[in-house]
Amino acid sequence: KCRDDFRAWMAVNTDWKGLCTRNGMGALQVVSFKSGECPDRGTERSYRVHPHVPFNNPAVAIEFGLIDVLKFLVEDKKIDVNATCWTNYSSGDERSHLASVALREDSIEAFRYLLSVDATDLSGLIGNDTSSDLTVCRLAFSPCRDRLPYFRAIVDCPSFDANESTIVLPSVDRTITPLQYFMFLFAFATEGGEDALERREAIYERVQILLDNGANPFKETTISEPADIAALEYEKEAETNPEKAA
């Protein structure tokens, strides 16, 4: 209902862009606080509720489906699309990369828009938690059914090359192609009963998409050492259970 209310208000108040200010963006980066950290009074978790929040916080704009506001903040206010300084109402106190906010809020429109911005770096971390090295790209590549539109959006990007684009493994200094990444994940997707079957089907679907986009299945890989295999085991855990892997 919030997003509908804001959209209706914006349709009438066409001067809403005046609410986006540099001071507002600085003050409204964080909208969710743990108990005792909020400048306003609260109990277990407190939220900063202000009518200007969605116009100064791109993560909240994504959460409310206000793509016009997101575009204005990026194109006119020149916010850093790779900064991990923003929180939104559903994220708790987690500060996130805007593309990972789009994934979490299931906003394919916001994700596609961010992909169209040249500065967007999908190899960046999903948030500012230094204990986790899960990147936006690997989150989007997660072999879950609901992530398929995001995977397709990356593949459909003009800058994506099935044989030259790479994924960095977290634990070792190695890069591999998306096809190699999914082939190794497929090899490890053998446990878990029906869940494993669904996972293998999801991986196979992505492999087929990459092959249809010219991926070379014979491209040489540097993955051979035990440490590399261990890294891929970590990768599998990171995709299925990011908190445990972290």
Side-chain angles (χ1 to χ4, degrees):
K1 189 178 185 302
C2 258
R3 70 178 62 188
D4 292 337
D5 289 345
F6 272 106
R7 285 173 177 169
W9 187 88
M10 288 168 62
V12 175
N13 297 274
T14 55
D15 59 346
W16 58 265
K17 293 179 181 178
L19 301 177
C20 308
T21 65
R22 187 62 57 183
N23 287 339
M25 285 184 280
L28 300 173
Q29 283 184 0
V30 180
V31 296
S32 178
F33 302 85
K34 291 180 180 177
S35 178
E37 295 180 356
C38 184
D40 307 315
R41 294 185 179 181
T43 52
E44 293 183 0
R45 181 165 294 282
S46 300
Y47 299 93
R48 178 176 275 127
V49 180
H50 191 287
H52 292 183
V53 168
F55 303 106
N56 291 277
N57 183 317
V60 176
I62 292 172
E63 183 177 20
F64 286 0
L66 305 178
I67 306 302
D68 287 343
V69 176
L70 173 64
K71 290 180 178 180
F72 180 73
L73 291 172
V74 171
E75 297 169 18
D76 289 73
K77 293 301 181 179
K78 309 299 182 185
I79 63 167
D80 181 357
V81 292
N82 298 307
T84 55
C85 60
W86 309 98
T87 70
N88 60 305
Y89 293 114
S90 68
S91 68
D93 57 342
E94 178 184 348
R95 302 187 184 214
S96 304
H97 191 292
L98 291 178
S100 71
V101 174
L103 280 159
R104 185 175 60 238
E105 298 298 330
D106 197 17
S107 176
I108 187 64
E109 187 179 2
F111 190 78
R112 286 189 178 123
Y113 168 69
L114 290 169
L115 282 181
S116 74
V117 178
D118 291 339
T120 300
D121 179 15
L122 295 186
S123 66
L125 299 180
I126 62 172
N128 67 341
D129 181 2
T130 57
S131 67
S132 171
D133 50 13
L134 187 61
T135 65
V136 176
C137 184
R138 295 207 322 271
L139 193 63
F141 275 28
S142 177
C144 305
R145 291 293 175 188
D146 59 352
R147 293 281 163 78
L148 184 59
Y150 299 91
F151 171 73
R152 285 186 180 276
I154 293 175
V155 173
D156 290 342
C157 227
S159 61
F160 179 83
D161 186 308
N163 294 306
E164 298 301 326
S165 298
T166 57
I167 294 178
V168 180
L169 294 180
S171 301
V172 292
D173 186 18
R174 294 286 190 277
T175 59
I176 57 177
T177 68
L179 181 62
Q180 291 167 347
Y181 178 73
F182 284 118
M183 292 300 289
F184 276 105
L185 286 184
F186 188 88
F188 286 114
T190 57
E191 301 175 359
E194 291 184 6
D195 289 341
L197 177 60
E198 290 182 6
R199 183 177 172 79
R200 287 196 296 272
E201 289 176 348
I203 293 171
Y204 177 78
E205 191 171 16
R206 286 156 175 77
V207 167
Q208 191 60 55
I209 290 172
L210 290 169
L211 291 173
D212 290 343
N213 280 270
N216 178 9
F218 303 107
K219 188 175 177 69
E220 188 174 341
T221 177
T222 59
I223 303 301
S224 59
E225 301 173 9
D228 298 329
I229 302 300
L232 284 161
E233 283 282 15
Y234 175 95
E235 250 347 68
K236 178 182 70 171
E237 186 63 36
E239 299 301 351
T240 56
N241 191 346
E243 291 185 1
K244 185 176 178 182

